[in-house]
Amino acid sequence: MITALAGGVGAARLLRGMVEVIPPGDITAVVNVGDDTDLHGLHISPDLDTVMYTLAGAINPETGWGLKGETWRVMESLGRLRGITWFNLGDQDLATHLYRTQRLSEGAALGTVTAELAERFGVGVRLLPVTDDALRTRVRVVGGTEIGFQEYFVKLRHDVAVEEVRFEGAAESTPGPGVLEAIAGASTVVVCPSNPVVSIDPVLAVPGVPEALAARRDDIVAVSPIVAGAALKGPADRLLVEMGFESSVVGVARWYAPWVSTLVIDESDAALAPAVEAEGVRCVVAATVMSDVARAAALAEVVIGARA
Ligand code: FO1
């Protein structure tokens, strides 16, 4: 049994590779919900959907989020009404948000609705939101204004300095059903190559999760989302620096060292392996850029076998 801590695109690609190597039923993904947002009265869970669509073979390959072959007629009409259009919701994607919102309004928990959606999309990996409670990543940008994560990420194109990140609702949240058991019962816990600051940290913000992870440190393998000093996608490099860490595999090792025992870094960073190990983290060098499913599967194989 493998349990993976997952954010969006990088996690989805690694999980897509993993299902080539081990049966989907042997994998549980504990997914970030800090990116979730409410727009147009709809509950949108971008990371859950990115992982689900990717595993279903339905992801838009150009963007890494949303559905392939998407049309945008609702957004076009909304634009004519001068509604909110900075967050692009495709016509087919909207059905997912409608379904989720309706089920939540009926009193179903997010984890239950996620399992229903995953089943309808034919996804065999168990997808668990880290919590069923409302946990929202909030970002204080330069000048002191606090905004929601998607406003930072999409509306401002993460092109603004961040002073602080906090996880609203985290202190009152509890782990979703099965989350602690999945961490305790896994042979290996994999930390996907997701943003440490805004994808993995919200998972650790749920009380009970850090304790469960600390008890498994020897069996936790992370994949660096930083390759040759830069994030392949998104603002992980910039955010690490803004949080006082280096934008390098060494910075990632320092960030994760308290609860991760092994870090997989890219071949291009091989020279930094001793510096990673100086942070108290075992270092494994591999090809980590998942430009296709075969490369993702090869990386998954390394990650699964990387435990000390
Ligand atoms: N990302 C964008 O850069 N622009 C968008 O308009 C956008 C819309 C969107 C709609 C649904 C969804 O599930 C994801 C969407 N994303 C969009 C991606 C999302 O903002 C990010 O992938 C994550 O939240 C960061 O992991």
Side-chain angles (χ1 to χ4, degrees):
M1 278 294 172
I2 300 290
T3 294
L5 309 188
V9 179
R13 290 196 176 142
L14 182 59
L15 288 162
R16 177 66 191 84
M18 213 177 271
V19 298
E20 298 289 313
V21 177
I22 57 172
D26 289 354
I27 306 169
T28 298
V30 173
V31 184
N32 170 40
V33 295
D35 294 17
D36 285 21
T37 190
D38 292 281
L39 259 182
H40 319 296
L42 299 174
H43 183 116
I44 300 156
S45 297
D47 283 353
L48 282 166
D49 289 348
T50 296
V51 170
M52 179 173 74
Y53 292 164
T54 302
L55 289 171
I59 198 76
N60 178 333
E62 272 97 54
T63 54
W65 53 267
L67 288 159
K68 66 181 171 194
E70 189 57 281
T71 55
W72 303 95
R73 302 207 44 191
V74 173
M75 282 289 114
E76 285 154 19
S77 298
L78 196 56
R80 286 191 284 276
L81 299 176
R82 287 185 231 117
I84 299 168
T85 55
W86 57 264
F87 195 75
N88 295 284
L89 296 168
D91 299 335
Q92 303 171 81
D93 186 31
L94 274 164
T96 303
H97 314 311
L98 289 168
Y99 181 88
R100 177 184 292 117
T101 306
Q102 172 63 22
R103 292 289 291 124
L104 291 173
S105 78
E106 290 166 7
L110 183 61
T112 304
V113 183
T114 300
E116 291 170 0
L117 284 166
E119 187 259 316
R120 311 287 146 83
F121 273 90
V123 170
V125 171
R126 191 161 66 125
L127 303 183
L128 300 181
V130 63
T131 178
D132 284 342
D133 301 322
L135 184 163
R136 296 286 181 275
T137 300
R138 307 273 304 165
V139 176
R140 196 176 77 218
V141 295
V142 65
T145 313
E146 193 182 75
I147 55 176
F149 178 78
Q150 295 300 343
E151 282 174 281
Y152 160 72
F153 193 90
V154 175
K155 197 174 184 184
L156 301 181
R157 297 188 171 86
H158 46 79
D159 190 17
V160 58
V162 171
E163 293 176 345
E164 196 196 348
V165 174
R166 76 179 179 96
F167 307 115
E168 189 174 73
E172 303 80 45
S173 71
T174 56
V179 167
L180 296 182
E181 294 80 357
I183 294 169
S187 52
T188 301
V189 177
V190 175
V191 185
C192 293
S194 299
N195 189 317
V197 183
V198 292
S199 297
I200 301 300
D201 235 27
V203 170
L204 268 83
V206 177
V209 172
E211 296 80 358
L213 290 168
R216 299 302 315 273
R217 187 180 185 278
D218 289 351
D219 306 310
I220 304 185
V221 178
V223 181
S224 174
I226 302 288
V227 173
L232 292 177
K233 202 172 187 330
D237 42 8
R238 195 172 165 163
L239 281 170
L240 275 170
V241 172
E242 285 163 343
M243 297 299 123
F245 286 70
E246 237 178 75
S247 168
S248 72
V249 291
V250 182
V252 175
R254 190 168 300 168
W255 184 276
Y256 282 148
W259 57 281
V260 166
S261 62
T262 303
L263 183 67
V264 180
I265 67 169
D266 189 63
E267 287 162 342
S268 60
D269 288 313
L272 292 172
V276 166
E277 300 220 324
E279 297 297 329
V281 174
R282 260 183 75 240
C283 189
V284 172
V285 179
T288 68
V289 181
M290 296 176 282
S291 38
D292 56 34
V293 174
R295 287 184 174 89
L299 176 60
E301 203 142 30
V302 169
V303 170
I304 291 166
R307 198 164 53 102

